[in-house]
Amino acid sequence: MNDLALLLTPEGRALLDEVRDTDPAQELAVATRLRREHPAELVSAALGQARLRQRAVAKFGADDALRMFFTPNGVEQSTRASVAAYRAGRMRELGVTSVADLCCGIGGDAIALARAGIRVLAVDRDPQTAATARANAEALGLAGLIEVREADVTEVDTADYDAVFVDPARRGGRGRIFDPEAYSPPLSWAVATALGAPRAALKIAPGIPHEAIPAEAEAEWISDGGDVKEAVLWFGTGAPGAVRATLLPGPRALLGRGLPDPQVRPVGRYLYEPDGAVIRAHLVAEMAEEVGGGLVDATIAYVTADELRPTPYASVYEITDQLPFNVKKLKALLREREVGTLTVKKRGSAVEPEELRRKVKPQGPGSATVFLTRVAGAPTMLIGAPAQPAAAAGGPS
């Protein structure tokens, strides 16, 4: 709290601008020089904040991150700006004009909601976190739409708001919390609060068991650039029980239709690796139907097909070889084809990619991808490369 207060003074703001691009390797020398003219506490606070801002660029983009204020937990746990913007857009499409953002953290979601033209009450019980959220609303010119309140979210009256957004803390002193009832506040409280609001969204861990999802909720898994970021339980959307996987950028959404698991079939010419959001949402069957494929194994989320049908919901590889798992045979094949760049992917295999790469010692100008998996229950290696749609469609090679 004291650090933030120092940084919000004119001297602190000027110093933040001065150290903005400081290379971490030069921090000690920069600190020594600046302490001749500024208090040591302020110099330390400014350099620490500059470090956090540099880390935050990946989530918030340089334009915002280099103006915002962060705490170490805030950088780690805040929502990626692209995901927050998508969710705020969905809120706006649902007709929401005001949101009670409970457990607001440093304000990442509140900022996205305000930019969507939605009035926000942002609540957090931690004084430093609430102060940081308030500073961020002011820094980005959004203070007119964001009211920040330091309070226990369980004691806040949300009756005057169109919607509630809850982002419970899912980390404790020992790291990630996997039991939804151990969230702070617990998932059961968040669900009860959501059911009492006209509309609501609850941000939860993507690994939540499907059986823990309330029947009244629509469940959505979101990935950004191929990385699964979060799951959201939506209430009041008119689609209770619905399941979707949303891929950013886009957005592109794959909707669940309750299809049975795909049939297992022999490995074809193409292998589809579903996006993580598709897998987490249990929508591999919907993706497989889209590409006319089946599973390589009943327990493995790899889809195979003879035809190439490009899809945004999976990465596609052309398979050239299928071998029983055998390091010596793989090493010989890679040497014969002069493969020096080897990508190792695995699903259903205990072998570590780095360990395999050390053993086969790839060398040469070529490249390949090897999948360590099971095919019809047997440990198998599938070798191939990213599919080339033009060539597969009969176009120029």
Side-chain angles (χ1 to χ4, degrees):
M1 189 74 134
N2 291 336
D3 282 359
L4 181 61
L6 287 171
L7 294 173
L8 291 175
T9 64
E11 184 182 7
R13 291 178 185 277
L15 195 56
L16 270 176
D17 289 340
E18 186 175 344
V19 302
R20 186 184 72 174
D21 300 319
T22 299
D23 184 334
Q26 301 299 317
E27 235 180 59
L28 183 57
V30 171
T32 301
R33 174 176 58 80
L34 292 175
R35 282 172 183 157
R36 295 174 192 143
E37 301 174 9
H38 304 279
E41 187 180 9
L42 176 58
V43 172
S44 178
L47 286 169
Q49 189 61 225
R51 261 199 317 275
L52 293 174
R53 286 178 166 183
Q54 289 168 7
R55 282 174 53 198
V57 166
K59 274 191 176 182
F60 290 90
D63 284 352
D64 283 352
L66 298 180
R67 289 187 289 161
M68 291 171 67
F69 296 88
F70 298 95
T71 63
N73 284 343
V75 173
E76 183 71 26
Q77 298 177 26
S78 56
T79 304
R80 181 177 289 266
S82 55
V83 177
Y86 160 74
R87 186 167 43 238
R90 216 180 152 200
M91 284 271 195
R92 185 179 55 200
E93 289 170 4
L94 289 168
V96 170
T97 61
S98 61
V99 172
D101 178 1
L102 308 180
C103 310
C104 69
I106 61 164
D109 282 285
I111 289 164
L113 289 163
R115 283 177 168 165
I118 297 171
R119 180 171 59 87
V120 185
L121 170 65
V123 184
D124 204 285
R125 69 180 179 183
D126 179 69
Q128 182 181 13
T129 303
T132 304
R134 189 175 295 109
N136 285 334
E138 292 170 358
L140 299 180
L142 297 169
L145 282 169
I146 301 173
E147 174 196 346
V148 180
R149 188 180 301 172
E150 180 192 325
D152 185 329
V153 296
T154 63
E155 298 173 357
V156 173
D157 182 4
T158 62
D160 292 337
Y161 295 85
D162 296 343
V164 168
F165 173 65
V166 189
D167 181 6
R170 296 180 300 282
R171 286 180 183 271
R174 297 181 179 178
R176 289 184 187 276
I177 296 171
F178 296 99
D179 176 8
E181 282 309 294
Y183 292 174
S184 180
L187 181 60
S188 57
W189 177 87
V191 169
T193 301
L195 290 172
R199 289 184 174 79
L202 311 183
K203 178 179 169 181
I204 55 175
I208 187 171
H210 279 231
E211 56 269 24
I213 296 171
E216 302 91 339
E218 172 194 339
E220 177 178 36
W221 280 261
I222 303 173
S223 69
D224 187 12
D227 294 329
V228 183
K229 294 301 177 185
E230 63 184 58
V232 185
L233 301 183
W234 292 91
F235 297 81
T237 64
V243 176
R244 71 165 69 194
T246 298
L247 280 57
L248 303 176
R252 294 177 179 273
L254 183 64
L255 304 179
R257 302 198 306 283
L259 299 181
D261 290 342
Q263 294 293 311
V264 176
R265 52 149 290 172
V267 176
R269 183 177 176 185
Y270 297 100
L271 187 75
Y272 292 80
E273 182 183 27
D275 184 274
V278 172
I279 295 172
R280 294 282 196 175
H282 295 181
L283 298 182
V284 172
E286 281 76 0
M287 191 234 95
E289 183 181 77
E290 185 175 285
V291 301
L295 297 176
V296 300
D297 184 276
T299 63
I300 304 293
Y302 282 140
V303 172
T304 186
D306 297 315
E307 231 180 282
L308 176 59
R309 297 185 191 174
T311 170
Y313 304 114
S315 301
V316 194
Y317 297 83
E318 186 170 5
I319 300 302
T320 55
D321 300 88
Q322 177 179 342
L323 303 169
F325 180 78
N326 185 300
V327 175
K328 288 184 178 178
K329 286 185 178 178
L330 178 62
K331 186 174 182 178
L333 184 146
L334 297 176
R335 186 187 298 121
E336 177 188 329
R337 297 186 184 168
E338 298 183 315
V339 171
T341 303
L342 181 66
T343 301
V344 182
K345 293 176 171 282
K346 70 166 194 168
R347 190 161 287 159
S349 170
V351 178
E352 290 300 324
E354 284 306 318
E355 177 190 348
L356 180 69
R357 205 176 277 109
R358 279 196 303 270
K359 288 181 177 178
V360 299
K361 300 175 182 174
Q363 292 181 354
S367 62
T369 300
V370 59
F371 294 86
L372 307 177
T373 188
R374 291 194 303 272
V375 171
T380 303
M381 303 182 297
L382 302 176
I383 295 96
Q388 301 299 321
S397 59

